[in-house]
């Protein structure tokens, strides 16, 4: 692991070095797993296996920032985002006087050079040689076209062609044995390009000397790398320690503006607090299960919910309060909105990290109205004064709105509190930037007052 870290910081050749190192480790593990022996035996085996197989460098991961150097033949069947075709304007070699094999006649044709007294040397080319040479020229040109096709079609996004050399002879014919010969007519001559230009989506760059990178000067020294690694390890340890510490958590209902005694149902809570809590739970459960298009379903569901809670005595009161919620304007609007997928959600779990505190709970009803959303919260308080409800529950509604917006990436227009004991009275709280900004302050206040705690704090 330390060797990989060191190699990664040593320059542009690090990717290949790391790939070779990973290959060596893989081979060593396989050798040890097969019972091959110790280090000495492995080194001997690796040397022999490498020599026998003509071992080459390991293939670098294609998804990394690397460059592959390949011949055209080895690139067949492969594809790369960017392909740079180099040397395409250089002659492929061959003096032109080599013997030519006539495969059909199973004969060999050669060209001779005769040195005559008092005259310049002259080529002696038999007619068979001339015929075969013309055929070989056409075959070579065809092979060049095939190679050029293979080379250029390896590029997926961009093809870069380097052009240094003469593609066209003085007589206007393409230079023989040149890979770019078939496209010489559409490529500009390098000597004719004075500045960069673009033509038909093709960018032509004028010849220029590339900048020389001094990799050894750019690579940091060992002491710098060791110090940087130490700083990274210290930062990592600090981050892990912070991540391992449980976050404080609260719920939107924990942000309500009520006395602590009332919140926990203690001695200062209103008389009948236990019954009121059970009744509130029954109303919420009924509104989760009832049919929004059938008011009669409220009473039927109320009987089942009361039995489910072990409080059959609450069935009638729960049905009455739930019926008021069912008839309220927001619920009727949600019933009308239930035409698209996911347009209406009931008892939807929701959560967000606000001011470093996990705020999670469940939205009683969420429905989409056009491009915006509306949050609906049922309340069964005995005190149904609109101003009191707004002051008491606005922080809770704001937390719901912020959490919904964070989850959906869409705006919440308003939060509607439905007062069941006031025959479905609706208190609407518009959601604006001021309300959103208030959530962080309310969460911070909850932390200061001990209403947002970590699990380890609860144990104490």
């Amino acid at each position: 692991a330390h060797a990989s870290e060191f190699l990664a910081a040593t320059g542009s050749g690090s990717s290949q070095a790391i790939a070779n190192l990973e290959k060596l480790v893989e081979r060593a593990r396989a050798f040890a797993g097969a019972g091959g022996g110790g280090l000495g035996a492995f080194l001997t085996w690796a040397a022999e296996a490498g020599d026998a197989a003509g071992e080459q460098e390991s293939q670098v991961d294609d998804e990394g920032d690397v460059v592959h150097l390949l011949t055209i033949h080895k690139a067949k069947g492969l594809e790369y985002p960017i392909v740079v075709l180099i040397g395409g304007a250089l002659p492929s070699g061959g003096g032109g006087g080599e013997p030519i094999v006539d495969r059909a006649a199973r004969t060999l044709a050669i060209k001779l050079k005769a040195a005559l007294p008092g005259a310049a040397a002259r080529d002696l080319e038999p007619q068979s040689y001339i015929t075969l040479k013309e055929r070989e020229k056409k075959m070579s040109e065809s092979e060049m076209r095939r190679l050029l096709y293979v080379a250029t079609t390896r590029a997926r996004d961009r093809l870069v062609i380097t052009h240094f050399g003469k593609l066209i002879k003085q007589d206007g014919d393409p230079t023989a044995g040149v890979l770019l010969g078939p496209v010489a007519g559409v490529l500009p001559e390098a000597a004719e390009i004075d500045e960069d230009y673009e033509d038909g989506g093709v960018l032509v760059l004028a010849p220029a000397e590339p900048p020389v990178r001094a990799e050894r000067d750019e690579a940091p020294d060992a002491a710098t790398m060791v110090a940087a690694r130490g700083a990274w390890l210290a930062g990592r340890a600090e981050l892990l320690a912070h991540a391992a510490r449980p976050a404080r958590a609260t719920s939107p209902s924990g942000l309500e503006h009520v006395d602590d005694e009332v919140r926990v149902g203690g001695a200062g809570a209103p008389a009948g607090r236990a019954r009121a809590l059970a009744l509130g739970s029954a109303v919420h459960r009924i509104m989760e299960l009832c049919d929004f298009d059938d008011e009669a379903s409220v009473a039927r569901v109320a009987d089942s919910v009361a039995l489910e809670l072990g409080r059959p005595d609450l069935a009638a009161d729960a049905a009455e309060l739930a019926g008021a919620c069912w008839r309220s304007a927001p619920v009727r609007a949600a019933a009308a909105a239930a035409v698209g997928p996911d347009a209406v959600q009931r008892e939807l779990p929701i959560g967000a990290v606000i001011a470093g505190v996990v705020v999670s709970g469940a939205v009683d009803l969420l429905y989409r109205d056009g491009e915006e959303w509306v949050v609906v919260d049922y309340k069964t308080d005995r005190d149904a004064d609109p101003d009191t409800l707004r002051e008491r529950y606005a922080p809770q509604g704001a937390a719901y709105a912020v959490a919904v917006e964070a989850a959906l990436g869409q705006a919440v227009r308003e939060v509607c509190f439905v007062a069941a004991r006031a025959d479905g009275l609706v208190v609407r709280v518009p959601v604006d930037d001021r309300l959103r900004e208030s959530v962080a302050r309310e969460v911070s206040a909850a932390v200061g007052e001990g209403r947002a705690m970590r699990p380890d704090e609860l144990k104490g």
Side-chain angles (χ1 to χ4, degrees), residues 203-216:
L203 178 63
V204 180
L205 303 180
E209 290 293 331
V212 178
R213 290 182 55 190
E215 292 185 1
R216 290 189 176 183

Side-chain angles (χ1 to χ4, degrees), residues 399-455:
Y400 281 135
V402 169
V404 169
E405 289 180 338
L408 300 180
Q410 296 176 315
V412 173
R413 186 183 70 234
E414 63 180 356
V415 178
C416 299
F417 297 104
V418 178
R421 292 187 179 276
D423 197 24
L425 170 72
V426 180
V427 176
R428 300 179 184 272
V429 178
V431 178
D432 53 21
D433 290 340
R434 183 178 179 181
L435 186 73
R436 295 183 181 97
E437 292 169 0
S438 70
V439 179
R441 294 193 300 271
E442 294 291 342
V443 170
S444 298
V447 172
E449 297 171 7
R451 291 183 279 120
M453 304 179 70
R454 297 193 303 268

Side-chain angles (χ1 to χ4, degrees), residues 185-245:
V186 297
L187 292 178
E189 286 291 341
E192 300 173 357
I193 305 173
D194 297 327
E195 59 183 13
D196 302 347
Y197 68 90
E198 186 172 357
D199 181 19
V202 177
L203 178 63
V204 180
L205 303 180
E209 290 293 331
V212 178
R213 290 182 55 190
E215 292 185 1
R216 290 189 176 183
D217 296 337
E218 294 177 1
D221 55 55
T224 302
M225 289 189 290
V226 169
R229 185 175 186 275
W232 178 82
L233 288 174
R236 179 176 181 270
E238 182 180 354
L239 179 62
L240 290 176
H242 176 74
R245 188 181 186 189

Side-chain angles (χ1 to χ4, degrees), residues 274-288:
R275 186 179 189 281
L277 290 174
L279 185 59
S281 298
V283 171
H284 283 77
R285 182 64 171 161
I286 294 169
M287 293 305 299
E288 178 186 2

Side-chain angles (χ1 to χ4, degrees), residues 234-299:
R236 179 176 181 270
E238 182 180 354
L239 179 62
L240 290 176
H242 176 74
R245 188 181 186 189
R248 288 185 169 87
T250 187
S251 64
S253 59
L255 306 180
E256 298 173 359
H257 286 180
V258 296
D259 295 336
D260 288 341
E261 293 290 347
V262 174
R263 188 189 310 278
V264 300
R273 176 65 172 173
R275 186 179 189 281
L277 290 174
L279 185 59
S281 298
V283 171
H284 283 77
R285 182 64 171 161
I286 294 169
M287 293 305 299
E288 178 186 2
L289 300 176
C290 71
D291 186 345
F292 275 5
D293 295 322
D294 180 13
E295 186 175 3
S297 67
V298 173

Side-chain angles (χ1 to χ4, degrees), residues 10 49 95 119 238 274 339 349 373 401:
T10 56
E238 182 180 354
V339 292
W373 292 84

Side-chain angles (χ1 to χ4, degrees), residues 30 119 183 382 450:
V183 294
R382 294 184 179 278

